[in-house]
Amino acid sequence: MNELETKVYSALGKLIDPELGKPITELGMVGAISGDLKQLVVEIKLTVVHCPQADYIEQSAKALLEEVFPQVTIQMSVMSKAELDSLKILLRGKQKSNPFTANSATRVILVTSGKGGVGKSTIASNLAVGLAKNGNKVGLIDADIFGFSILSQMGVTARPTRLDDMMLPPESHGVKVISIGMFFEGNEAISWRGPMLHKAIEQFLVDVHWGELDYLVIDLPPGTGDVSISLGQLLPHAKVLVVTTPQPAAAEVAIRSGLAAIKANQEIMGVVENMSWLENGITRELIFGSGGAAKVAEQLTSAAGYPVEVLVQIPLNQSLAESSDQGMPLILKDFEDNASKELQKLVRTVAAVKLGKAARTLTVKLGQ
Ligand code: ADP
């Protein structure tokens, strides 16, 4: 490299591609460099024609170079097919594969429930942003084909950027988000059969460039259906949070989804009770009765052979409902609210669980 190129690379090495999380100099995005130390011309190659980050990359590159060179011209272009192929190999290696196998350092958390409307997605979104807020790299998959609400709860309007068959997930509140709702109009996915769903879920894991994640949170459809079975096969070391309300009917079906997870060799991390009571001054109104989560925990403890506990009890709360509707998870908005405090406790509890081999060894021992 000559002096001009060295200076350009050193300046542009500070520019991180927002979607790929690496300096543009490492991604092959810096093209021809011409001119001299006074009048510089640099080509920046975008990965795709309509790259949503084009303006940001162009302006940032110009600003960084203007710190070093008096006159800078940026010429924007697009990578060739061969350059894009090299980039994909750089990002994911030669062979596409599921990065979340048993050896991966990413902690995978499946959020499940027996029936819809119990707050599963609300809990998954708050958990994901809470973990991200604490400095973790977090991905969130909305696999709830019956009620994909993560996009609105997370305030995501962008769609993934496609590099051929590779997808770059949009980020919201520090969390990379992919939802089944990004790929379908209306209710198309609901009529899908098992193999199609399996393929879609597999693509969320394999074709999405997640980068290195500390946590992957997955919002499952309620019940014990095909998506849960697929995820059981694809993510054998996933840990499961079972969400229920205090109502016996919700608890009964939550137990069934917990049992399905145990059968799929997944470890139950604990039970989350939502809508536990309505706060009315200092009194608590037990709108949905009481004891649902305790019953789920008790039954799953005896089925799993290890203690399954009720981790938190989240009250019914207007702020929680409103914040979901506004696309701003409550955990980011209000620290003092009682529902927010329980969600913060859930984040701490989940963060304290280490990626252990214990559960895997245990399930193998039990021969499940
Ligand atoms: P699920 O994913 O189980 O179908 P959602 O998370 O979509 O459920 O929640 C269903 C509705 O209930 C949403 O409108 C959400 O804002 C609201 N909600 C969830 N938990 C609470 C709560 N503790 N208090 C008030 N509203 C809640």
Side-chain angles (χ1 to χ4, degrees):
M1 258 193 228
N2 61 29
E3 188 193 353
L4 189 68
E5 288 166 347
T6 309
K7 285 197 161 166
V8 169
Y9 270 80
S10 138
L12 292 182
K14 294 177 205 138
L15 176 51
I16 309 291
D17 181 283
E19 288 179 306
L20 297 170
K22 288 189 190 305
I24 64 163
T25 45
E26 288 178 25
L27 298 169
M29 291 172 69
V30 181
I33 299 172
S34 55
D36 52 39
L37 292 170
K38 292 205 183 79
Q39 286 208 326
L40 175 74
V41 184
V42 177
E43 178 193 16
I44 305 277
K45 296 178 186 177
L46 297 172
T47 47
V48 283
V49 181
H50 298 294
C51 173
Q53 310 295 339
D55 287 347
Y56 167 80
I57 292 173
E58 182 174 0
Q59 282 158 22
S60 309
K62 195 161 197 302
L64 284 166
L65 291 168
E66 279 173 351
E67 285 175 20
V68 187
F69 301 93
Q71 207 178 330
V72 176
T73 306
I74 304 278
Q75 291 175 340
M76 300 300 281
S77 67
V78 178
M79 285 185 180
S80 66
K81 171 90 176 72
E83 287 166 340
L84 197 58
D85 285 346
S86 310
L87 174 62
K88 284 194 300 180
I89 290 172
L90 179 89
L91 294 172
R92 73 172 167 209
K94 281 214 164 83
Q95 294 247 299
K96 282 206 279 183
S97 61
N98 170 9
F100 306 108
T101 53
N103 298 329
S104 129
T106 305
R107 284 166 241 191
V108 182
I109 299 158
L110 307 181
V111 187
T112 187
S113 68
K115 67 190 198 83
V118 298
K120 182 175 49 59
S121 309
T122 309
I123 286 154
S125 323
N126 276 281
L127 174 62
V129 296
L131 289 165
K133 195 165 149 264
N134 291 349
N136 294 293
K137 296 195 186 88
V138 183
L140 175 60
I141 295 180
D142 181 2
D144 187 349
I145 47 168
F146 302 114
F148 37 82
S149 54
I150 291 282
L151 292 179
S152 59
Q153 294 197 8
M154 291 289 289
V156 178
T157 49
R159 291 296 174 261
T161 302
R162 279 179 185 268
L163 307 182
D164 289 345
D165 59 346
M166 185 187 270
M167 289 183 273
L168 308 180
E171 207 171 300
S172 178
H173 308 304
V175 174
K176 292 179 178 170
V177 183
I178 283 287
S179 166
I180 205 147
M182 289 167 167
F183 306 96
F184 306 106
E185 295 295 330
N187 295 324
E188 194 186 338
I190 293 177
S191 60
W192 279 18
R193 300 203 163 265
M196 282 169 91
L197 280 172
H198 185 87
K199 186 93 196 101
I201 299 295
E202 198 172 21
Q203 282 179 348
F204 289 172
L205 302 175
V206 174
D207 288 345
V208 175
H209 178 65
W210 292 103
E212 274 166 26
L213 294 181
D214 297 308
Y215 291 94
L216 178 65
V217 179
I218 307 185
D219 184 17
L220 291 185
T224 56
D226 293 324
V227 174
S228 316
I229 293 166
S230 288
L231 283 168
Q233 291 165 351
L234 294 165
L235 302 165
H237 68 314
K239 297 183 194 240
V240 179
L241 285 175
V242 181
V243 181
T244 183
T245 66
Q247 266 185 310
E252 212 51 61
V253 282
I255 291 167
R256 265 187 253 153
S257 55
L259 292 176
I262 293 169
K263 219 168 166 194
N265 276 345
Q266 291 159 345
E267 184 191 359
I268 308 291
M269 196 185 248
V271 182
V272 175
E273 188 175 270
N274 190 26
M275 309 184 181
S276 296
W277 48 74
L278 180 68
E279 287 170 345
N280 191 355
I282 49 163
T283 59
R284 291 173 170 181
E285 288 180 32
L286 303 175
I287 306 272
F288 293 123
S290 65
K295 191 168 167 210
V296 177
E298 187 190 309
Q299 298 262 327
L300 294 183
T301 296
S302 58
Y306 52 82
V308 174
E309 287 170 19
V310 180
L311 304 179
V312 289
Q313 291 182 293
I314 304 166
L316 253 176
N317 171 312
Q318 198 175 348
S319 323
L320 188 52
E322 281 172 2
S323 63
S324 292
D325 290 340
Q326 291 160 357
M328 169 63 75
L330 184 68
I331 207 162
L332 292 180
K333 222 173 106 174
D334 189 336
F335 301 115
E336 296 309 318
D337 175 276
N338 283 339
S340 175
K341 282 186 184 160
E342 286 297 291
L343 289 163
Q344 290 164 48
K345 183 174 160 197
L346 179 65
V347 172
R348 285 196 301 276
T349 308
V350 167
V353 176
K354 296 282 170 263
L355 182 77
K357 291 201 183 88
R360 294 205 291 278
T361 321
L362 182 66
T363 45
V364 170
K365 255 197 250 158
L366 292 172
Q368 287 162 337

